[in-house]
Amino acid sequence: MKITARWFLPLLLALGLSAPAAAQAPVEGQDYVRIAEGAPWQPLDGKIEVAEIFSYACHVCDEFRPMLAAWARRQEADVRVSHVPAAYRRQDPFATMFFAAEALGQADAVHAATFDAVHRRGLLARNATVAEITTFYAGLDLGMDRARLGAAATSPETLEKLDAAHEFLVRSGARGTPTLVINGKYRVQGRTLHDVLRIAEQLIAAERQP
């Protein structure tokens, strides 16, 4: 017997079963928070932005990193995943050096290595200084010597990004890390990391609607 989509959902309900979670719309206040006067981290340029507010000192962010990376690879071309360090203060060392590495085109290269240095190799403390992170980055054989890193860390562009990251953190209302923000409009909430990614995917689908 052929079952059409028209009769599939009523049949599920009659059998006491539920539709797949992906078919359920996310609930405001439960699955996400709408950000008042929200703005994306970077201009959208036709993309749907998933901004991750993270901290290298956060062990949950360390656990989430490979999950988010695998999830990002499965997304369509219109989805852009951005990493935004949690700049609780302008001089935050890890945020400063993230943007310094980014200015030198090496943010992606140092991202996993920094988590590994903090959480597995014991090469960086969770409260590492700019000097300590600079030494670590300079030793990664990525063409970033201490002089170039120092210049990038103190550049006006890096200071502007630190201010922008702090403002994005405050505006989003993030209460911890990791936090996902969709198009600057929605702060994702979830009971588990898998739940966070599920809700993010639902909000992305909603943003695609006219």
Side-chain angles (χ1 to χ4, degrees):
M1 172 179 155
K2 182 179 180 180
I3 300 177
T4 65
R6 178 182 177 186
W7 299 108
F8 184 62
L9 182 56
L11 179 61
L12 284 176
L13 296 176
L15 293 173
L17 302 174
S18 61
Q24 301 173 7
V27 178
E28 184 173 357
Q30 174 180 302
D31 297 323
Y32 70 93
V33 172
R34 189 180 296 270
I35 300 171
E37 301 181 3
W41 167 242
Q42 297 292 328
L44 295 179
D45 295 329
K47 299 287 188 178
I48 297 173
E49 180 186 75
V50 179
E52 180 211 17
I53 300 174
F54 76 97
S55 168
Y56 286 121
C58 165
H59 72 90
V60 180
C61 296
D62 178 54
E63 179 185 351
F64 191 48
R65 186 200 61 77
M67 294 173 58
L68 179 61
W71 178 86
R73 288 192 293 270
R74 298 193 299 268
Q75 300 310 302
E76 296 182 25
D78 64 341
V79 175
R80 180 184 70 214
V81 176
S82 301
H83 303 295
V84 185
Y88 294 106
R89 54 192 177 90
R90 193 185 195 195
Q91 292 81 18
D92 182 89
F94 277 117
T96 298
M97 295 312 299
F98 174 87
F99 290 127
E102 184 176 71
L104 298 176
Q106 299 292 350
D108 290 342
V110 305
H111 195 55
T114 306
F115 274 117
D116 195 48
V118 174
H119 297 278
R120 274 165 295 284
R121 300 179 64 194
L123 298 177
L124 290 172
R126 297 187 188 206
N127 62 344
T129 65
V130 165
E132 290 167 340
I133 302 167
T134 297
T135 298
F136 173 70
Y137 283 3
L140 290 177
D141 195 25
L142 294 172
M144 300 187 297
D145 59 32
R146 294 180 62 87
R148 293 185 70 205
L149 283 163
T154 56
S155 71
E157 292 77 13
T158 292
L159 297 179
E160 287 177 9
K161 286 188 175 181
L162 285 166
D163 284 341
H166 177 72
E167 291 169 7
F168 187 79
L169 172 73
V170 173
R171 184 170 64 244
S172 72
R175 299 174 181 174
T177 54
T179 293
L180 295 188
V181 178
I182 311 299
N183 275 358
K185 295 163 58 176
Y186 311 111
R187 186 179 77 244
V188 179
Q189 301 190 136
R191 288 173 293 180
T192 68
L193 295 177
H194 289 288
D195 210 25
V196 167
L197 293 176
R198 175 185 63 81
I199 295 165
E201 206 151 283
Q202 292 174 324
L203 291 169
I204 288 169
E207 282 295 278
R208 288 196 181 107
Q209 300 303 314

